[in-house]
Structure formats: C-alpha cells, structure tokens
C-alpha cells in the first residue's frame, strides 16, 4: 500500500456533538479555515439515510480541499464519494473493508493494544490508530488507557503512519507526537472553537 501524507492533526467530527447537519458543516468549515485537511465523519447513533445525508453535506461544502474519511461504513464511504474509510475492531475486518472500497481509497484501522496493532500492521491499512492515549469521554466503553508509553510501544511495532487518539488536547498533543505518533486524532478539544483550536494545534505541533 502506498504511504499516505498524514498531517499532524486529524480532526474527527462526531455527529453527536451537533444539533443538525448545518451545525456540523459549519464546524467543518471552521476547521478547514483553521488549516485542517484531514477530517473524519463519525456517527455512532444515526440511521444510514441520515448519515449519508450528512456525509454528502460535508462533501458538497468542503469539496476537494479536504481528505474525507468515513467511520465504520464502507457502503456510505463509497456512496458519499469519500476518500477513505476508518474501521474499528468490531467493524468490517481490514480485508473485508478493502474488498468493498478497492485499492484507491485510504483505509485506517483502530487498535488498542500491541497484539491488535501487530495484526493490523499485516493488513492493507494505510495508517493505524492507537488509543485511548488518555482518558476520553467521547467513546462508549473505551479500552484501557495506554498512556505515552503505549504510544512509544506502538511506534516500535509498525512503520505505517501512526495516529494517536483519546483525550488528546492542545495541552498534551506535543508529548504524543514526541512519543512517536505521526498524527493526533481529536474530537472534544476541537468542538468549542474549531478554527482557533485547530490553529493552536498546528502551532504546537510544528
Ligand atoms: N476512539 P476525544 S478514543 C473515537 O481508543 C475514539 O480508539 C478511541 O475523542 C480509541 O478526542 C476515541 O474527545 C475518542 O478524546 C476520541
């Protein structure tokens, strides 16, 4: 699989943080104004129809200025014309996901411990995620916190681009990159003031 250009900030828009599609898209535009070029759409509670509508809304408004990644749903990734798919341990397997999306799109895989990371490293995933690095309120039933040591350990186990996730903020992001992550994925610390917060992440991650 080709190496992909990961930017240091990987923004995740979780639909649960927004009252409607307009608010979601507004936040996305603010993130892009703040320099974000890699954005995941995550919706763990909506039905497929609503999800596709929101995803298409994002795609229409953001165009090709951003790499758009769909969480979990390979079908909606294709239907919305997204650039990639992100799967977790309970979603389609990496091989199954790849069979649906084909070779041209990005595939990311969530892992939570060295065993899962080692397994995912053998797949066609273009990048691997590891977490939660710190405590998080954004995920139901999160795995145990791995800390910065978990990031260092993960770094030693893969040469694929490594995305750290879970409880990462402007305050602690630098330490996560210094522990070996190529990028930080963030939900909560981008919600309140997306543009300002994204700009600050980029400043601290230079
Ligand atoms: N996945 P926040 S932690 C979506 O451990 C997600 O794989 C995780 O949100 C994992 O930046 C997490 O608000 C939540 O902590 C990240």
């Amino acid at each position: 699989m080709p190496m992909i250009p990961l930017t240091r900030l990987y923004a995740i828009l979780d639909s649960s943080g927004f009252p409607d599609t307009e608010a979601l898209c507004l936040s996305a535009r603010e993130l892009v104004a703040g320099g974000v070029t890699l954005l995941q759409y995550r919706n763990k509670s909506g039905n497929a129809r609503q999800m596709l509508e929101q995803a298409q809304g994002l795609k229409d408004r953001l165009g090709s200025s951003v790499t758009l990644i769909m969480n979990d749903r390979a079908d909606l990734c294709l239907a919305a014309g997204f650039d990639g798919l992100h799967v977790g341990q309970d979603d389609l397997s990496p091989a199954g996901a790849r069979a649906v999306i084909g070779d041209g799109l990005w595939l990311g895989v969530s892992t939570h411990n060295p065993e899962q990371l080692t397994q995912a490293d053998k797949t066609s995933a273009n990048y691997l995620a590891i977490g939660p690095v710190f405590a998080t309120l954004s995920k139901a039933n999160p795995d145990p916190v791995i800390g910065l040591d978990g990031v260092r350990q993960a770094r030693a186990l893969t040469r694929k681009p490594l995305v750290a996730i879970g409880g990462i903020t402007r305050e602690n992001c630098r330490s996560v990159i210094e522990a070996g992550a190529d990028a930080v994925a963030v939900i909560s610390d981008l919600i309140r003031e997306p543009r300002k917060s994204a700009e600050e992440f980029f400043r601290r991650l230079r």
Side-chain angles (χ1 to χ4, degrees), residues 12 14 40 42 44 71 86 110-112 129-140 142-144 165-169 185-191:
I12 302 180
D14 191 313
Q40 181 186 129
R42 181 176 192 266
K44 290 298 193 189
N71 184 275
H86 186 94
S110 279
T111 71
H112 311 290
I130 182 81
V133 182
F134 305 114
T136 179
L137 296 174
S138 304
K139 191 181 184 193
D143 283 77
I165 185 165
I168 300 175
T169 63
V186 179
I187 299 178
S188 346
D189 201 31
L190 289 170
I191 289 180

Side-chain angles (χ1 to χ4, degrees), residues 123-168:
T123 71
S124 71
N126 300 97
Y127 70 85
L128 303 180
I130 182 81
V133 182
F134 305 114
T136 179
L137 296 174
S138 304
K139 191 181 184 193
N141 307 313
D143 283 77
V145 164
I146 60 163
L148 293 173
D149 277 339
V151 177
R152 283 185 204 100
Q153 201 175 7
R155 177 71 289 165
L157 291 171
T158 184
R159 297 175 71 173
K160 289 185 192 275
L162 185 65
V163 176
I165 185 165
I168 300 175

